[in-house]
Every structure is written in structure tokens, then in C-alpha cells.
Amino acid sequence: MDDAEANILASLGRVRLCDLAAADGLPSDSYKMCVSALTQSLAQYSAAVVELPPADAALLRSGLDSARLFFHRRGYGSGDAVSGGGGGEDDAREWCKTSGYYSDPQMWLEMYDFRPGITAAEPNGAAELPPSGLPDIFSVLGKVSREVLDAISFSLNLRSCTFTELLDNIPLRSQEVSSSVLSACCHSRPSMEGAQQHSVASQDDEQLLMFSDQEQQIDKTLVTVVKSDRSGLYIKDLRGQWILVDGGLGPHDVVVYPGLALYQETAGYVNPAVHKIEVGNLQECVFGRCSLVFKLMPRSVARLSGSEMMAAGHGVDSQFQVPILVNDFMQPDHSANQLFPKNNEPSPHGEQEASYNFVMKRKKEGRKTKQLPPSKRLRLEAQRVLKERVQDIADKKGIKLRFCSLRDCESHTQSLERPCENIRIEVGWPPGVPFVHPHDLPNKAKLRFLEAYEPGWTASQQDVELSFTEP
């Protein structure tokens, strides 16, 4: 591992699973630090490292050993190109029913999908014997992914258990099939038919990196957790550089990264990871590159929308305000290109909450943003502080307060049918109590409102502005 890779690994957020466990009451300092490290790493590198307890790490190592033996003993042939139990992932309408073994020669990939609620079968109808330990590993990695999801929810100031409606029951009820899936994967096994024809790496060029034909991928998951027996997972960071995220990891470490479903549900505030797998330089390895990949998926009957983000006071673009059925979201015609029309890559949200500590402002090279005039910055700061003051007043009176977005109300400020009025009815706002929003007041009224609760506020902000403008 070179110095650049070592620096990246040192910068990746590394948290312990036990520190991610939320508890009742006020959040501890260790929990807040853990969430901050996790979310900052996801913002900058689209990935983070989670350290598991020793018992869970030992279970994963045993699972990797079992997966290597499973694929090594299994002969590869053209008849295995379609999965056994679920009909294959090529059948898009059956995306939540895949199970058993299948292979993809173009990606040099063999995979065994374990999905609770489905018993995989061989083509002859006999029960398929899977790698050992998959049910226990499914439980361990499922817990990891849910803890990460809860931490992201905390960082975005969403209500606890916000994503519960999207997820499967714990445990599954009778006749239910898991939407999430655990995959035992094997890349570049030399015995795969035709693998030698695809290989162009030679012993004279050991540094040549080979990737699968489908180089860039974005999982349509909420969260993905990966544990591999050798490095090779590359993810594109905030600057557009490919970085190796699983090189030099410890035996207790797993890699986690967000998917496209989480991007949709958080209205673009959490970017999905764009990733690829190195499949070269494995000619001398008889087992190839084995990994365990857990994909936390939303239920097929659930809906993805930005409603929870709007309820928390976040600005939500129009493309995220229309709910979409998960089953439709998973279809091939709903690709990442529809969400990221420019360069087929995720773009950061324009305004990020300070609690998430995102530094995701995409700028064109050589282009500088025009600095706002002091008066405009003062008004924006007044709007932010005003929102906090109104929230404090509502909390003291025990009133549930929801802020609608400016975009919803900017054309309805003089109408009795504006969205604010609907929210007043929805939350049961007491009659006669002013329902104040930052955009309900003109700029001068905002300043007068703040001066009433904090005398001298405007003068203090102007002093700050002068300190920035002085050379």
C-alpha cells in the first residue's frame, strides 16, 4: 500500500459499532463524535469503516472461508448463468425474490444470494446447499446497516425510527420474504469458463488494474455493508477521484456506503456511492476475490419521498416531493441517469444542514462564486435565527411546530388556501395563535422580531460583517 492509499485510509471515518448504538435520553458525547465521524466520511468519501465486536468479526471470517470453499467446489458452466431460486436479477420485476446461485461471465462474478423467506433450489428441483453461517451473518450485518441508518437520521435531525416504514419487520412475520439480501460473491475465479480469454494482465505488469466490463455501479439500496478477503473495492470521492476503500483493513472492519434509495428518501442530502471492483491481478489466486455483501433494501410496497425531510425543515427540491413506489424505483427504466442528468453522477444538495457537516458544494474548475452582499447575508442569517427563535417559543408552549418550505408558499403568501393553512389544520394549531414562518415576514419585520428577543442583534451582525470586509 502506497502513501496515498495510507492517507486515504487514515482519513476514512472509522467508528465502532458499539458506539453507534443509540440510547434513551440525551445523546452522549461519544455518540455525537461517532455520528460526526461517520457522516463526514460519507460526505467526503461516500464510504466509512465500522469496527465490529470480536465475536461478529470471527463469524464473518468463518463465512468468507465457507464461501471460498463453496465456489471452489462448485463447477462453473454456461448453465449456471441464471440464478436458481428467484429467477435471476435480470427479471427486474422479481428483484426482491432473487435467491441461490448465479454467475455473470462479463463481470467475472459468481454469487450466492441468501434471502430469508425463500429456499433456494437447484435447476433439478433439489434443495441447494449454501455456504454455512449465512443466517447469522445476515443478522449481524443487518444490525450494522440499521445502526448506520439511524446515525444518518440523527445527523439530519430527523425523528428516530424515521426509516422504519421502509424496512422489513424484525423479525419477519409469517409468509414474509426479506427485501434485504446477503450475497456471497466471488470475483475472477480462474476456473470460470472463458476467464483466461478475458485476462490481459501479465506477470511483467503486476501493477495493471483490471476492472469488470460494467465499471461504474450505483446500488439501489439504502445502505450496503461489505466484508472481503482481499482489497479491490474502489469508490469515487467528492473530488471525482477513485479511491481504494478496503485496502489494509483490520480483521474486525467492514466497509459501509449509502445507496440510491437513501439518496431519494433524503431528498439528495446523502449522495450514493459510485463504485467498481478490481478484478485483475488475481490469476495466481485459485479462489479469486471473495466477499460478503449485505444490501439493506426498502420494502417493495413502500414509497420513497422527501416528506420526512420537509417535516424536519429541510429544503426539498421538486423532483423529490413526488412519492415513488419502491417497486417502480427498482426497475431498469428508473436509472441513476434520471436523478443525475449531468455526467451521470450524483450532485450534492444546494444547502446542507450544519448538523450533517457536509462540504458538498460542486464547483466548476476555475469558476468562483460571487460573494453575497452584507445586507443579503444579514437577511439570510436573520431568517435562520428567526426559525430557531420561533421553534423555541413553540417548544416552551408545548406546541408541535412544522415549517413548510419557502418554495411551497412563495406564490401563496396572500392566499387563504396557501400550504401553511393546510399545515395549521394538520398539526392542530390552536385558533388565534399566530402561525409564524420565516418567509411570512418581510425582511425588516424579521429584524424587528429578532431585536425584540435579542436587543442589539442587528448591530452585532453588522460588526461581524465589517470584520470580514476589513483587510
Side-chain angles (χ1 to χ4, degrees):
M1 183 172 58
D2 58 23
D3 293 340
E5 292 178 356
N7 291 335
I8 290 173
L9 287 175
S11 301
L12 276 178
R14 183 184 299 269
V15 298
R16 296 188 303 174
L17 180 61
C18 59
D19 293 334
L20 274 180
D24 288 335
L26 294 175
S28 63
D29 291 338
S30 61
Y31 180 76
K32 290 189 288 186
M33 292 176 60
C34 185
V35 171
S36 177
L38 173 72
T39 53
Q40 287 188 30
S41 183
L42 294 179
Q44 187 168 0
Y45 300 106
S46 295
V49 177
V50 177
E51 180 182 340
L52 304 183
D56 294 344
L59 178 63
L60 263 61
R61 290 196 299 271
S62 176
L64 285 173
D65 292 339
S66 177
R68 279 193 294 267
L69 186 60
F70 171 83
F71 291 115
H72 183 65
R73 287 181 173 177
R74 187 180 185 98
Y76 173 82
S78 58
D80 294 325
V82 180
S83 67
E89 286 193 350
D90 291 337
D91 186 356
R93 289 292 168 184
E94 301 295 322
W95 66 269
C96 57
K97 296 183 180 180
T98 59
S99 179
Y101 173 88
Y102 73 95
S103 58
D104 188 339
Q106 292 184 347
M107 297 186 66
W108 301 3
L109 171 66
E110 295 172 277
M111 183 177 297
Y112 184 93
D113 278 351
F114 170 75
R115 189 183 300 273
I118 294 181
T119 301
E122 297 281 3
N124 58 10
E128 191 171 18
L129 189 62
S132 63
L134 295 186
D136 293 332
I137 296 173
F138 185 96
S139 177
V140 168
L141 298 185
K143 179 181 178 181
V144 174
S145 61
R146 287 176 183 254
E147 295 286 9
V148 170
L149 202 59
D150 287 343
I152 293 174
S153 174
F154 176 83
S155 68
L156 290 171
N157 201 31
L158 303 178
R159 287 187 55 82
S160 57
C161 304
T162 294
F163 302 106
T164 301
E165 292 298 323
L166 298 177
L167 303 176
D168 293 326
N169 288 317
I170 301 179
L172 293 172
R173 304 307 187 250
S174 177
Q175 304 301 318
E176 285 186 344
V177 175
S178 173
S179 300
S180 301
V181 62
L182 172 64
S183 301
C185 306
C186 184
H187 280 90
S188 261
R189 187 160 64 98
S191 58
M192 286 187 66
E193 181 180 355
Q196 298 299 331
Q197 286 90 340
H198 291 286
S199 177
V200 297
S202 65
Q203 296 181 355
D204 296 334
D205 188 7
E206 296 180 355
Q207 300 301 319
L208 180 62
L209 299 181
M210 288 289 297
F211 297 93
S212 58
D213 292 343
Q214 184 181 354
E215 287 195 352
Q216 295 189 179
Q217 302 177 60
I218 301 179
D219 294 345
K220 288 187 174 182
T221 63
L222 292 167
V223 175
T224 303
V225 186
V226 181
K227 177 65 175 178
S228 304
D229 61 354
R230 59 182 64 239
S231 62
L233 175 61
Y234 286 79
I235 291 181
K236 189 173 292 188
D237 68 2
L238 182 63
R239 299 173 298 175
Q241 302 294 322
W242 288 106
I243 61 173
L244 180 65
V245 297
D246 62 349
L249 295 182
H252 297 174
D253 296 336
V254 295
V255 176
V256 298
Y257 56 85
L260 201 60
L262 186 59
Y263 173 85
Q264 180 73 22
E265 180 65 15
T266 59
Y269 279 77
V270 182
N271 270 7
V274 182
H275 63 89
K276 61 182 180 180
I277 301 294
E278 177 191 352
V279 297
N281 297 328
L282 293 177
Q283 289 78 14
E284 297 180 359
C285 180
V286 296
F287 295 108
R289 178 186 183 273
C290 289
S291 58
L292 298 171
V293 181
F294 179 86
K295 296 182 178 181
L296 184 67
M297 307 291 293
R299 298 181 299 127
S300 60
V301 295
R303 292 180 180 273
L304 300 173
S305 68
S307 58
E308 292 294 339
M309 298 293 291
M310 294 177 63
H314 296 276
V316 176
D317 292 339
S318 58
Q319 71 180 98
F320 300 107
Q321 294 181 11
V322 180
I324 178 172
L325 191 65
V326 168
N327 199 50
D328 296 335
F329 180 80
M330 294 297 171
Q331 303 312 312
D333 56 355
H334 192 91
S335 63
N337 296 348
Q338 293 177 275
L339 295 177
F340 317 130
K342 296 181 180 180
N343 301 325
N344 296 336
E345 292 184 6
S347 59
H349 198 279
E351 295 181 0
Q352 303 293 355
E353 289 292 331
S355 61
Y356 203 39
N357 294 320
F358 268 6
V359 287
M360 310 180 84
K361 295 182 180 179
R362 188 179 300 272
K363 299 178 181 178
K364 294 183 179 180
E365 294 183 2
R367 181 177 178 180
K368 297 182 179 179
T369 57
K370 184 178 180 180
Q371 189 177 19
L372 294 174
S375 58
K376 178 64 174 178
R377 292 201 298 272
L378 180 60
R379 289 196 297 271
L380 291 177
E381 179 64 11
Q383 179 170 307
R384 183 189 67 80
V385 178
L386 171 62
K387 185 175 179 180
E388 295 178 357
R389 297 294 188 275
V390 174
Q391 184 68 61
D392 291 340
I393 296 171
D395 292 341
K396 291 178 181 178
K397 293 184 177 182
I399 299 174
K400 181 180 179 182
L401 180 64
R402 289 181 59 182
F403 289 98
C404 61
S405 65
L406 173 60
R407 180 170 297 179
D408 290 338
C409 289
E410 60 185 358
S411 60
H412 302 85
T413 54
Q414 303 301 325
S415 172
L416 294 178
E417 298 181 355
R418 55 180 175 166
C420 286
E421 297 301 323
N422 297 331
I423 294 177
R424 291 180 61 160
I425 298 175
E426 179 183 351
V427 302
W429 192 265
V433 178
F435 192 63
V436 181
H437 289 257
H439 54 79
D440 284 336
L441 301 175
N443 293 327
K444 292 182 179 180
K446 293 176 187 177
L447 300 182
R448 288 199 299 268
F449 184 92
L450 289 170
E451 282 289 347
Y453 283 90
E454 191 174 329
W457 183 88
T458 304
S460 65
Q461 292 297 312
Q462 290 174 345
D463 292 340
V464 172
E465 293 292 343
L466 291 175
S467 65
F468 279 107
T469 57
E470 290 178 358

